[in-house]
């Protein structure tokens, strides 16, 4: 389970790994104001997606003024970033991290990984870090050395210093950094802690310019401070699954599962539910290319959410997505579901009658309503 960069850095810094000062930006205005705290004249603006390769994809920008920081945050936040490692669909940038830029003279690679053979901690090092490391990794031409790093004793420090020297990092500061990272690795039950690049600055300091930590998913329950990231990853997986089935979905925390075709209708539905004091469990827009089996998959994702107490189906059968196609999808999903929550259905437009007939034939726990406001009122009543 990966932690985003800012959280990975915070974790490592707690054990003594040097990182640049930074802050998480929730909005461009915030970002511009908070820049004053960093006490610098150059800033790095970094999208906090979980995949790497951001540098080459425009997800890491170096700028000179707080207003430029604001503009970059605006450009990144809420937008999809496609990198070498995200796959073609990309990842939505949900947060942006701003740091004081480093004056980097050389980029190194340093990582700790769990050695599954011995259960020990493996130290990986390379003189060619940063983007160059990623490019070589892509070409299967990565050169890095490995050794097992044991507990911090005088003999072990000597061994690690000699190992790091072979990779251009034989300074005490880097030895300290490696043992600090090892302590964080063990105490948090990590499976990976990667610093790439480990930057050597003009002043001769060694600082983690980028970091990535992965927790053992089976041990997360012992580290509740990271649970929010587990939720995020679960949510991402659900949204990706919906995407793979031609459905645009955004998971929310409410109790009413919403099945709607068309983004505009979806937004209207969302606003009406909120206005009536209900809580949607998702936003959904079924794309016109979705077949009934794909729609079934999307509805299954809602039915398997334990928060969902009712499903609100609102379809306007148009030129391409027909009322009966959606009704078939919903029926298939209910057929497979263990939990069959009440369904409120409003279908209008093309093949509406056939759609409603299908829901009844399959003996779904359905209430049919005529208007959108009735649908919302009934769904809220059933979900409470
Ligand atoms: P990644 O591409 O997702 O791994 O993102 P990184 O955080 O590694 O950033 C990509 C590249 O931007 C790094 O390899 C560095 O070369 C460069 N970079 C990142 N932070 C700084 C900085 O503070 N100063 C300078 N000069 N370059 C930076
Ligand atoms: Mn990196």
């Amino acid at each position: 389970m990966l932690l985003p960069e800012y959280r990975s850095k915070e974790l490592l810094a707690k054990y003594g790994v040097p990182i640049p000062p930074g802050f998480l930006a929730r909005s461009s205005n915030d970002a511009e104001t908070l820049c004053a705290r960093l006490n610098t004249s150059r800033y790095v603006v970094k999208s906090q997606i979980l995949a790497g390769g951001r540098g080459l994809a425009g997800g890491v920008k170096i700028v000179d003024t707080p207003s430029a920081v604001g503009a970059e945050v605006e450009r990144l936040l809420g937008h999809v970033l496609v990198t070498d490692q995200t796959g073609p669909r990309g990842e939505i940038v949900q947060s942006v991290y701003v740091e004081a830029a480093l004056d980097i003279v050389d980029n190194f690679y340093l990582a700790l990984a769990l050695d599954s053979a011995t259960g020990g901690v493996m130290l990986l090092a390379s003189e060619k870090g940063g983007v160059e490391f990623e490019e070589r990794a892509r070409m299967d031409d990565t050169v890095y050395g490995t050794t097992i790093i044991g507990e911090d004793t005088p003999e072990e420090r000597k061994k690690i210093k000699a190992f790091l020297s072979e990779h251009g990092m034989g300074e005490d500061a880097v030895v300290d950094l490696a043992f600090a990272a090892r302590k964080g690795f063990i105490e948090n039950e990590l499976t990976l802690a990667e610093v790439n690049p480990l930057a050597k600055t003009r002043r001769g300091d060694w600082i983690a310019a980028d970091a990535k930590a992965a927790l053992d998913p089976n041990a997360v329950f012992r580290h509740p401070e990271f649970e929010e990231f587990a939720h995020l990853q679960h949510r991402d997986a659900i949204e990706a699954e919906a995407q793979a089935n031609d459905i645009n979905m955004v998971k929310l925390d409410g109790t009413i599962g919403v099945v709607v075709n068309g983004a505009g209708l979806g937004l209207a539905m969302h606003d009406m539910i909120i206005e009536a004091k209900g809580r949607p469990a998702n936003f959904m827009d079924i794309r016109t290319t979705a077949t009934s089996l794909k729609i079934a998959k999307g509805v299954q994702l809602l039915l398997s959410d334990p928060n969902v107490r009712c499903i609100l189906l609102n379809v306007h059968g148009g030129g391409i997505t027909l009322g009966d196609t959606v009704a078939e999808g919903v029926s298939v999903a209910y057929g497979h579901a263990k939990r069959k929550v009440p369904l409120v259905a409003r279908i209008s437009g093309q093949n509406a009658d056939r759609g409603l007939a299908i829901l009844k034939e399959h003996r779904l726990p359905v209430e049919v309503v005529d208007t959108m406001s009735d649908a919302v009122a009934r769904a809220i009543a059933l979900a409470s």
Side-chain angles (χ1 to χ4, degrees):
M1 189 189 110
L2 283 174
L3 296 179
E5 175 192 5
Y6 77 93
R7 201 62 185 81
S8 305
K9 280 179 165 166
E10 193 177 299
L11 186 159
L12 291 172
K14 209 175 113 188
Y15 295 88
V17 173
I19 60 167
F23 61 82
L24 202 59
R26 303 280 180 203
S27 72
S28 57
N29 277 343
D30 256 18
E32 211 173 315
T33 319
L34 291 170
C35 279
R37 282 196 198 166
L38 298 184
N39 213 354
T40 180
S41 56
R42 273 172 90 223
Y43 307 86
V44 195
V45 184
K46 313 186 80 176
S47 49
Q48 295 299 290
I49 59 169
L50 291 174
R54 298 164 302 168
L56 294 172
V60 174
K61 281 286 161 73
I62 299 182
V63 296
D64 294 326
T65 60
S67 71
V69 168
E72 285 301 326
V73 170
E74 184 79 40
R75 185 181 66 84
L76 291 167
L77 210 56
H79 291 100
V80 174
L81 188 66
V82 180
T83 82
D84 230 48
Q85 299 176 26
T86 57
R89 281 197 203 95
E91 250 181 68
I92 295 180
V93 180
Q94 308 206 357
S95 59
V96 177
Y97 191 54
V98 182
E99 284 183 330
L102 299 166
D103 196 357
I104 301 180
V105 290
D106 218 344
N107 290 299
F108 295 81
Y109 178 92
L110 196 73
L112 297 171
L114 191 64
D115 178 36
S116 47
T118 63
V121 182
M122 195 193 288
L123 177 63
L124 296 81
S126 171
E127 215 159 341
K128 301 192 186 308
V131 172
E132 191 177 344
F133 186 89
E134 283 170 29
E135 277 169 347
R136 294 173 72 114
R138 194 160 52 226
M139 292 182 290
D140 261 339
D141 173 34
T142 330
V143 270
Y144 58 82
T146 65
T147 189
I148 297 292
I149 176 170
E151 266 182 51
D152 191 352
T153 62
E155 305 85 78
E156 192 66 10
R157 289 183 84 83
K158 239 172 98 184
K159 183 191 107 185
I160 294 303
K161 185 163 180 167
F163 167 77
L164 290 171
S165 297
E166 289 169 34
H167 302 281
M169 291 180 269
E171 292 183 27
D172 286 336
V174 187
V175 178
D176 289 343
L177 192 152
F179 282 105
R182 181 183 180 276
K183 189 152 192 271
F185 186 94
I186 290 175
E187 286 190 8
N188 293 280
E189 303 183 83
L190 303 184
T191 54
L192 175 77
E194 184 187 71
V195 178
N196 187 37
L198 171 59
K200 185 172 187 181
T201 68
R202 194 166 304 282
R203 288 179 42 192
D205 297 324
W206 294 84
I207 299 181
D210 185 20
K212 177 191 279 181
L215 277 84
D216 178 347
N218 298 310
V220 173
F221 74 97
R222 278 195 290 265
H223 307 278
E225 68 272 30
F226 298 122
E227 248 159 37
E228 61 174 304
F229 298 103
H231 287 309
L232 274 181
Q233 271 157 75
H234 181 59
R235 196 160 77 185
D236 281 353
I238 288 176
E239 291 176 5
E241 171 97 38
Q243 277 296 336
N245 286 287
D246 292 346
I247 294 169
N248 301 324
M249 176 138 102
V250 179
K251 269 301 289 163
L252 304 166
D253 305 324
T255 52
I256 303 172
V258 184
V259 181
V260 181
N261 68 324
L265 193 57
L267 286 174
M269 195 83 264
H270 178 90
D271 289 353
M272 283 175 75
I273 295 172
I274 299 280
E275 201 131 289
K277 309 261 182 287
R279 291 168 52 226
N282 67 292
F283 166 81
M284 182 182 284
D285 164 28
I286 298 169
R287 295 206 290 273
T288 51
T289 42
T291 59
S292 52
L293 282 179
K294 287 181 168 174
I295 294 168
K297 193 66 221 181
V299 178
Q300 268 169 15
L301 292 172
L302 298 180
L303 285 170
S304 60
D305 175 349
N307 286 336
V308 168
R309 295 203 204 125
C310 159
I311 298 237
L312 172 63
L313 170 67
N314 182 27
V315 189
H316 186 84
I320 305 174
T321 305
L322 304 172
D324 54 339
T325 310
V326 181
E328 267 170 21
V330 174
S331 303
V332 170
Y334 267 79
H336 285 93
K338 287 195 199 76
R339 263 176 78 243
K340 300 186 204 302
V341 300
L343 172 69
V344 178
R346 175 201 177 247
I347 308 184
S348 65
Q350 198 104 315
N351 293 5
D353 291 345
R354 251 159 69 195
L356 292 173
I358 287 170
L359 297 179
K360 284 180 183 148
E361 272 165 31
H362 286 83
R363 299 176 191 286
L364 263 48
V366 64
E367 269 186 42
V368 176
V369 293
D370 288 331
T371 68
M372 275 173 62
S373 41
D374 283 352
V376 168
R378 280 309 294 150
I380 291 176
L382 288 166
S384 62

